[in-house]
Every structure is written in structure tokens, then in C-alpha cells.
Amino acid sequence: AASMGKRRRGKGNANGEGEFPPLPVLESEQFESFYAEQHLVPDGEWDSFLTSLRTPLPTSFRINGGMHEPETLALRAYMEHQHLAKMQELVVDGTRVSPPAPIGWLPGRLSWRVDVSRAILRGKGTKRREGAPERPAEEVEALRVLADFHEFLVSEAEVGTISRQEEVSMVPPVLLAVQPHHRVLDLCAAPGSKTQQLLEAVSAPLSSTAAAANGATDMAPAGVAAMQPAIPQHTVGDTPTLPANTSAAFVIANDCDYRRCHLLVHQAKRLKSAQLVVTNHDAKQLPSKMAASDGVSGVRLRFERILCDVPCSGDGTLRKAPDLWRRWCDGLAFGVHRLQLSILIRGLQLLTPGGRLVYSTCSMNPLEDEAVVAHALLRKEVGTVRLVPTSEALPGLRRLPGTKRWRVRAQGTWYERHEEVPSELRSKVVPTMFPPTDTKAQGIHLEHCMRVLPHMQDTGGFFIALLEKVADPTEQRVDEDDPVAGVEGAENADKAHVSRPQVPCQHERAPKEMEDDDRDGPDEIEAVAHVMGGGEASLGHAAGVDAALEGEGAAERGGAAEVASGASLPKEVDAKITGQPLSNQPPHAEWGAHVMATLHCAANNRGKYDALYTLQPAFLEKLKDFYGLSETFDTEQIVTRAPTGKVIVIVASPVLQLLRADTSHKFRLVNTGVRMLERIDAHSEPLPPNFRLAQEAVQCLLPHLRRQCLFANESEVRLLLMRRVVPPRDFVRPALAQAISETQTGPAVMIFDAQGLGRIERGATLPLAFAVFRRSNGVLELLVKKDETASLLRRLSFLPSAIAADTSALLSSCS
């Protein structure tokens, strides 16, 4: 939305002169008359509704991580003690400044709102007139405190520990109630704030899940645990699905726009999760049929949890995108309705029986909300699906039930039924935009949906529906990998109309990306719609991300199209085996001596998508011996993104299983895996000491490490974080100096041992740990980035108490 607000209208001259869009006008006769006629706003609240839409949206943010993570609790404690404690009685420009407050209907005091202007939050206050008296000393100090808090938010956002996210945008992942054994799909994931919430839930320990199921208030929002469905089955008719893993799962974050996928990649590096897979597919056609493998006739990919936060017109974001007042018209909903319906149908097809899906939009329009949900539920190819009541979930969140009646307006005329629509408008106004007949609507219960209006709790506008699949369809009416065909048949519409949004208004020329002569295809158009309706933003700076991220992965990627060992080869035979070049093999690609074969590579890749390669068993055995990896750790999870093997990554076991099942290489992987090792010298022998250990992979490896571990107390950890390079003699404790001398030269891990145990307790929360490099002379070098080091230093003093609190909660949940 921000980029669209900056778009120029008209032609600009060579000297930079041109026609800029007019200043936002916070009114729209079309918008106001449309919503007044729909009667969605309760009686007596219309003026409050409009007034709220014309005021700026409060700032809200979320501390990333779960209540089970001591680092998250330590950051919250630091913020409350070092910043919030000083912000309780601030006065600026003669007015008391409201301190940040936790969002009451979300758990754990991890989500916060700041109800002040941006100028005040940045410590500037209102601009002083020339000749005005200087600010009192108390106000100057108050602005300094606010500026310090803003600097803290920005710095933590840059390292990924805090995310700017709209309050109502946090609701859909919470309602999904994801558990650690779930396979999760985020169909329209960019920019990734909701994906991060899903990953946090998947990564939670089983003890936290058990506590949540028992209604522990700090672990799960009230009302959500009670809505848990039965354990899902994992067969669909006679066709097997990928088996569930009760100890780990994965999250697929998909987006149709390749450039927006790289925003997800940018977020993924901060998440440091080996369970995340970022894909680039049209959400309507996400592949699910895996090719035959190991004698199995066919494997179908299904999910226990799916988030469909679909592209929308975005009129719920008017408070932060005021230019939408000028552009709003009936055609905005016409342009995305069929796209939304086809995405929801696809999501329901991918849902396993017993699984749940959240459909959400940042639009208040029934044509994008209840109309889509109702007609998706009526489709036979999605199986038996029900709407789950959510009125008891998230107490304190004010919402309205879904509506059962609405009307459609086109070119100024209202229509009750599709039969009333003139033939010349039926290509735009389709039957699924109207309420279903009373006979068909029986049992749908649209009142189980929820609509949040901006004035109800000083938020943005949002719509959410929670759906549960009861049973799969008895027969497949359309090809699973082409659900759009079924949508077209229901609407008797041309395929171009289904895949491409219409021009928003008759009187306004659409942006270039949304014109009918679509040069980039439907994916690019859908991305434009998603930008218009995006409900999230980054608190840090995202400028320049596109070019940097696209270039970063491309240089590392390449490869052939061989499948995992034991699977049948596709038509293109691996060049590693035959020596023949491939169309998707990068020119002059050299294979490292420690690289074995291609695990996964999308067809016609040409460096655009991730290609993953397996490593030689002998090299994996050397890694296992060097780090003392436990027998429970599957070293085949360690792979590389390039045939040269310069950068080695680790993928979660369920992700490895998924990639092996995709023997036809249908998935277009933009990113997966966590960076584990990086070769120091490209010409050195591929031995473990010649690779630097990446900080991102430390938490993944920590439960399995038996060697190269250095346990340190708080003062020793602080010394390393502050100086970054420390000789052994500077550590006071002889025990640590002795441990360093016994550690092999090369990468190692320093572990914060707050309780002085000298070991990692089995089943306990993983401690804070750092990647280091032991030089040949025993000197330790910290391998953590400087901005992340500053964040770690902030939390360090609060970690012991956070660990103690986490241990206490763990014991109480198990008793």
C-alpha cells in the first residue's frame, strides 16, 4: 500500500517535474453510501465508524517468540524495566502521553499498542512556532525517553525480535491454534508476520502445547484451547498422505509474487527455523500430487492447518492508507472476488479431515467476505466443511457476527439477485457475489464468522472465518491441481475473468499492473491486489531488500534435476551421473568433492529457485564426529544449496521428507533450510574445521551437540559479546580456559550456563548459545553480527530470571 501511495499520476518531465496525486481526501460518497445500505454498522454507531476511519491507526507491535522461550521473556522484561517504567507519567505539549499497553485479548504481554503520534514517538513532538518559548526541562526529558524507546524498537526490529503488525492482523494465526505436530500452509504469506506466528506455534515444545490444551492462560488465549478438533486422519480414500510427525512439522509459506517471496526470505533469516519452506506458486494451483515413489502409487500432500489471508480491496486499512478514500469504488471487490473464492476452494481441498482453515481479509465488504465463504462451503469438491463458532474465543476482542444478507451494487444500481443483473454486466457481477438462497444457506451459519470494525476497539477493519473439514468429497469433480476450472463452471465465466481482476472503476484508469493486456501474467496481478490489501508492515527499514536478496541466493544456486536416492529419475538425467549438461544447470558449475547429488531442483530453474544437493556420506560422518552429534540426529538433514558446496544448510526432518516425496520437482522453492556452515576458503579441503558455524543454526544443533561445547557464566558471556575476540587467559574461571584448550581448532558453541550445571538438561528449554571460532592459539572469536550482539546484551541480565520462570511453568504444566 505504501508503494502505491507514492505512485505518480501522469507523465513526468526529464527534469523531474510531473503531476503528483492529490492530497488524501478522507471522504467518499461511494464508500459511505455502500456501507450505509449494507447495514453492517450497528444502529447509533455510524458517526463513530466514520470518525474512526478518518483518524490515524495506533502503532502496534509484537515481541517475536513464544512464552516458552526465555530469550523472549527476557526481552519483554528489559523493555518493561528499562523503557516502560520511565514512560508512565510523561507530558509533551501540555498533554499526558499514554504509555505503551499490552493488547489484552492476546496472551503473554507479547503484543503491544502505542497510542501516540509518530512525531511524539520519535521524540520530536509538535513543531514549535518561530519565537515560541523553549520547552520545559520536563518535556525535553520526556522526548528523550520517547526517542530512546523508538530507537529500541527500530534496532530490535532490524534483528527480527520485534515486528510491526496491526492488532487485528494477529488474530488469524491465534485462532488456528497450531500445535507442534501440525503441517501448516500459509497460502498468501508475504510479507510474513503471520507466518512468523505460525512458526512460533509449530516450534513450541510439547509441554507448552499440553499446557495450552489444559487452558493455561499464559500459553494460549482463552477460548481457543476449547475449540481444538479431534486428531486428524492421514488417509484420503485409498490414497495415502504424508504421515504426520508427532515431534516436528513444517510450515509452507507461499506467495504468487516472486519479489514478495524475497520479503519472506528476509523474514526467514530472522526466524532461524529449519521447518520453514518458502514457495512461489499461484495459490489457486499449489501442487499437492506427489509422483510415485518406492512402489507407492501416489502420495497426496495435506495440511492440518491452513491460513488463507487472501488478496483483497483493503478498505479495512483506510486508516493507514488514506489514499484509498479517493480510489474506492464498487469495482475493487469485483476485481478480487473470484480470485478469493478460487484460493479458498484450493485451501479447503488441501485440508485434511479434522483440519482447520482460517479465511481472512482486511476488507469489510460482504462480497469479499461472507459471499466467498458461503459459496466455497456449497462446493462439492471441497468435501464436508463447517464453520466453527468463535464467539467465545479471545475474550475482550470486540467483534460482530457475520451477516446473512447483503446486496450488490454495480454502476449505481442495487441488485438483490443475479437474475436482475443486465447481461452486459454479468461478466463482472457473477452469481457467487450474492447471498445463497434460503434453501442452500441452511446449515451454513454465517453468523459464526466475525467482522471487526475500526471504531469498536480503535483498530483496522478485518474479517475472519474459521472452517473445519469434516470429511473429504466422495468423488473428485475437478482436477485437484486445477480448482479454478470448477469455479469457472459454477459462474459460467471465461477463464480470463477468473484469473484476472477487473479494472476497479469505469471512471478511473487502473494501475498499469492491473490492465487487461497483462504482460506479467495473473501472478503479478494477484500480487498487486495483495499489496492493496496488505495488513502488515515492517518496523525496520525494508528499502533495498529486493535487489540484495535476489542476488544473494542466485549466486549460490544452480544444479540439476536428480531426485533423492531411491527415487526414480525424471526425464532430465543428472549431469553428475551422466556428464550431460541440463537446461537448468548453471554454466560452468563445478561440483565440490563433498557434494553427492541433487535432492530437489525445480524444472527450468536457471538459478531463480533454490536447488538442494545431498552431501557425501564420508563428509557427513566427519561432521558427526567433529561435533559429536547424537545418534538421534539424521545427518541427511544437512544439505547444500549449490553444487560447489560452499554454504551448507540444515533442513528439518519433515521438510526433508517432503522434498523426497516431490520426485517430480513440482515445488518452486524460493528458500528453505537454515544456514549452518560456510566454507572459509574455497580452495581448502572440505573438512569441518575449514567451515565457519553460522549463528542461525546453533539452536537447531544444540540438542544434539556432544563436542565443541563451552559452558560459560554471565560475566564470561558478557565479556565475549562486548569484546568479540577474547584470549583464554582473559576468562577468570580456570574451568573455561581448560575447556577451550581441550576444544579442537575450528567452530564451536559457547553456551550460557545460568545455573552452572555444565550440561544441557534433557527436556529443558534450550539455553542461549553463540557460534564462536577457536583459533589455533586458543583465542575465541564471536561469529554473531554486531546488531544482534547489542540485542543479546540487552537481554542478558534478565535471562536468569526468565529461565527460572520458564522452568517453574514447565514443572507446573507437567505436574
Side-chain angles (χ1 to χ4, degrees):
S3 61
M4 295 187 69
K6 296 178 181 178
R7 182 179 292 115
R8 295 188 181 189
R9 302 287 184 187
K11 297 181 179 180
N13 298 327
N15 60 1
E17 296 178 358
E19 186 179 341
F20 286 83
L23 293 174
V25 178
L26 305 183
E27 60 182 23
S28 168
E29 191 280 329
Q30 287 196 70
F31 173 87
E32 295 177 31
S33 61
F34 177 86
Y35 280 103
E37 188 65 27
Q38 298 290 7
H39 301 290
L40 298 175
V41 181
D43 293 341
E45 299 181 20
W46 179 254
D47 290 341
S48 299
F49 171 69
L50 290 180
T51 300
S52 175
L53 286 173
R54 290 167 179 151
T55 56
L57 189 68
T59 298
S60 53
F61 63 90
R62 194 174 63 85
I63 300 176
N64 298 326
M67 289 296 299
H68 59 279
E69 298 180 16
E71 294 177 55
T72 300
L73 301 181
L75 182 61
R76 184 190 67 185
Y78 173 87
M79 182 183 73
E80 291 178 337
H81 286 80
Q82 299 298 319
H83 291 285
L84 303 193
K86 304 174 183 177
M87 300 174 66
Q88 301 303 309
E89 302 295 336
L90 300 183
V91 176
V92 176
D93 297 326
T95 304
R96 180 177 180 272
V97 177
S98 299
I103 300 172
W105 38 269
L106 288 171
R109 304 198 320 279
L110 297 180
S111 304
W112 296 75
R113 76 147 50 187
V114 186
D115 196 5
V116 298
S117 69
R118 291 184 180 181
I120 292 179
L121 181 59
R122 292 171 180 171
K124 297 180 179 179
T126 57
K127 189 175 181 180
R128 310 288 285 182
R129 293 181 179 179
E130 187 176 352
E134 293 186 358
R135 293 184 183 275
E138 295 80 4
E139 287 198 10
V140 173
E141 176 62 19
L143 290 174
R144 186 194 63 78
V145 170
L146 289 165
D148 288 347
F149 179 62
H150 180 261
E151 183 180 353
F152 160 76
L153 292 179
V154 171
S155 61
E156 291 295 335
E158 287 175 348
V159 297
T161 56
I162 284 179
S163 293
R164 165 75 183 275
Q165 190 174 359
E166 196 172 328
E167 291 181 45
V168 285
S169 176
M170 304 177 194
V171 174
V174 176
L175 280 183
L176 269 180
V178 173
Q179 299 182 39
H181 65 275
H182 286 155
R183 291 163 296 192
V184 183
L185 171 64
D186 192 347
L187 267 173
C188 307
S193 295
K194 297 185 186 70
T195 303
Q196 176 142 349
Q197 289 180 266
L198 299 174
L199 269 172
E200 290 167 3
V202 164
S203 304
L206 294 174
S207 57
S208 295
T209 307
N214 292 327
T217 56
D218 257 1
M219 296 293 183
V224 173
M227 302 191 305
Q228 294 295 325
I231 297 176
Q233 302 175 9
H234 297 287
T235 57
V236 183
D238 295 328
T239 307
T241 65
L242 291 174
N245 188 320
T246 56
S247 62
F250 58 81
V251 175
I252 292 182
N254 178 75
D255 204 88
C256 66
D257 187 300
Y258 180 76
R259 293 178 65 84
R260 286 173 61 83
C261 281
H262 281 284
L263 290 176
L264 284 170
V265 174
H266 186 57
Q267 288 278 44
K269 292 184 178 182
R270 299 172 171 181
L271 303 180
K272 303 175 184 177
S273 174
Q275 296 171 292
L276 177 65
V277 181
V278 179
T279 61
N280 175 218
H281 288 278
D282 184 336
K284 306 186 302 295
Q285 297 172 341
L286 188 80
S288 66
K289 289 184 178 180
M290 304 291 127
S293 175
D294 296 333
V296 179
S297 59
V299 179
R300 298 170 68 186
L301 179 61
R302 290 294 179 269
F303 300 88
E304 285 79 31
R305 294 291 187 270
I306 297 179
L307 176 61
C308 283
D309 185 44
V310 297
C312 64
S313 64
D315 59 16
T317 67
L318 279 166
R319 301 182 66 181
K320 69 174 186 178
D323 185 58
L324 188 57
W325 283 99
R326 179 181 57 84
R327 296 184 289 107
W328 196 96
C329 63
D330 299 332
L332 288 177
F334 298 165
V336 292
H337 167 84
R338 284 170 289 193
L339 171 64
Q340 294 164 337
L341 179 58
S342 58
I343 291 176
L344 179 54
I345 290 173
R346 184 58 178 154
L348 292 173
Q349 288 179 326
L350 293 170
L351 201 61
T352 192
R356 291 191 169 183
L357 177 150
V358 162
Y359 174 84
S360 61
T361 75
C362 48
S363 169
M364 301 173 285
N365 195 328
L367 275 67
E368 305 176 58
D369 299 338
E370 287 90 349
V372 173
V373 171
H375 288 281
L377 290 175
L378 294 174
R379 301 302 295 268
K380 293 183 179 180
E381 63 265 32
V382 304
T384 305
V385 181
R386 73 180 184 100
L387 273 168
V388 180
T390 56
S391 57
E392 300 300 321
L394 301 176
L397 173 63
R398 300 172 190 169
R399 84 294 299 266
L400 295 172
T403 184
K404 297 180 180 179
R405 285 283 170 257
W406 63 89
R407 298 200 294 164
V408 178
R409 186 177 69 182
Q411 294 186 352
T413 303
W414 290 96
Y415 301 99
E416 301 277 355
R417 300 183 306 275
H418 186 257
E419 292 77 10
E420 302 173 357
V421 179
S423 58
E424 64 270 17
L425 294 179
R426 292 193 178 186
S427 63
K428 296 181 180 179
V429 182
V430 294
T432 54
M433 294 178 181
F434 292 84
T437 62
D438 292 339
T439 303
K440 291 183 177 181
Q442 288 180 355
I444 292 183
H445 296 294
L446 288 175
E447 70 276 8
H448 291 338
C449 304
M450 71 166 73
R451 176 177 280 104
V452 178
L453 298 180
H455 70 289
M456 303 179 73
Q457 215 154 359
D458 197 17
T459 65
F462 222 75
F463 174 87
I464 305 169
L466 178 61
L467 302 98
E468 179 179 281
K469 176 174 273 192
V470 179
D472 268 316
T474 55
E475 59 178 290
Q476 297 294 326
R477 298 180 59 89
V478 295
D479 185 350
E480 262 199 3
D481 285 344
D482 188 19
V484 182
V487 178
E488 292 169 352
E491 299 172 357
N492 193 24
D494 185 87
K495 187 165 187 176
H497 290 145
V498 176
S499 63
R500 181 178 294 120
Q502 302 296 317
V503 175
C505 299
Q506 297 275 337
H507 62 274
E508 177 185 10
R509 181 168 177 79
K512 182 177 180 181
E513 296 91 335
M514 298 184 68
E515 292 179 357
D516 282 339
D517 55 341
D518 169 32
R519 298 181 180 179
D520 293 318
D523 286 0
E524 180 68 22
I525 289 181
E526 292 166 23
V528 173
H530 197 83
V531 171
M532 290 171 60
E536 304 159 15
S538 171
L539 194 72
H541 301 288
V545 167
D546 290 339
L549 290 176
E550 288 193 39
E552 183 173 356
E556 298 284 336
R557 298 172 190 150
E562 187 213 6
V563 296
S565 56
S568 58
L569 289 171
K571 294 180 180 179
E572 294 175 317
V573 183
D574 196 327
K576 179 75 169 180
I577 299 174
T578 66
Q580 299 297 320
L582 292 173
S583 61
N584 59 344
Q585 180 77 15
H588 311 297
E590 296 181 2
W591 289 70
H594 56 303
V595 181
M596 184 171 66
T598 309
L599 171 65
H600 191 282
C601 183
N604 299 318
N605 189 349
R606 301 188 184 280
K608 186 176 182 181
Y609 299 108
D610 250 358
L612 297 178
Y613 302 83
T614 57
L615 299 171
Q616 296 286 356
F619 176 74
L620 294 176
E621 191 62 31
K622 291 176 183 178
L623 286 178
K624 184 175 182 179
D625 179 69
F626 183 81
Y627 289 102
L629 297 175
S630 63
E631 294 298 325
T632 58
F633 181 78
D634 182 8
T635 55
E636 292 188 0
Q637 296 174 230
I638 303 175
V639 297
T640 180
R641 288 196 181 117
T644 57
K646 178 182 178 181
V647 176
I648 292 174
V649 300
I650 180 172
V651 297
S653 179
V655 173
L656 181 64
Q657 185 182 13
L658 170 68
L659 298 178
R660 286 173 171 168
D662 185 23
T663 55
S664 295
H665 302 261
K666 292 183 177 181
F667 276 109
R668 299 203 294 258
L669 301 180
V670 177
N671 185 269
T672 190
V674 173
R675 184 181 294 239
M676 174 183 170
L677 299 169
E678 184 171 1
R679 202 166 179 174
I680 300 173
D681 183 356
H683 301 291
S684 61
E685 189 177 355
L687 296 174
N690 295 331
F691 287 82
R692 288 182 179 270
L693 179 63
Q695 177 67 19
E696 296 97 304
V698 168
Q699 291 297 310
C700 298
L701 292 174
L702 202 54
H704 309 283
L705 292 179
R706 300 296 179 269
R707 297 175 186 161
Q708 301 298 102
C709 297
L710 302 170
F711 293 88
N713 59 30
E714 181 179 341
S715 63
E716 293 163 339
V717 169
R718 189 177 297 279
L719 178 66
L720 181 65
L721 289 175
M722 295 179 66
R723 289 175 50 180
R724 300 188 65 83
V725 177
V726 182
R729 63 177 181 272
D730 288 0
F731 292 112
V732 176
R733 285 191 311 128
L736 179 57
Q738 179 66 24
I740 294 173
S741 67
E742 296 174 355
T743 301
Q744 294 187 60
T745 298
V749 176
M750 176 172 278
I751 301 168
F752 177 34
D753 187 13
Q755 298 174 319
L757 300 176
R759 66 182 184 278
I760 300 176
E761 287 290 307
R762 186 176 181 180
T765 301
L766 293 177
L768 188 66
F770 314 97
V772 298
F773 193 89
R774 182 198 183 278
R775 298 175 182 174
S776 57
N777 59 0
V779 173
L780 290 187
E781 177 187 353
L782 183 66
L783 301 180
V784 181
K785 295 179 180 179
K786 290 184 178 180
D787 54 355
E788 189 173 352
T789 301
S791 176
L792 291 168
L793 281 169
R794 293 188 191 106
R795 287 174 276 171
L796 192 58
S797 298
F798 296 91
L799 266 175
S801 58
I803 292 172
D806 182 71
T807 304
S808 175
L810 180 65
L811 293 174
S812 64
S813 67
C814 296
S815 60

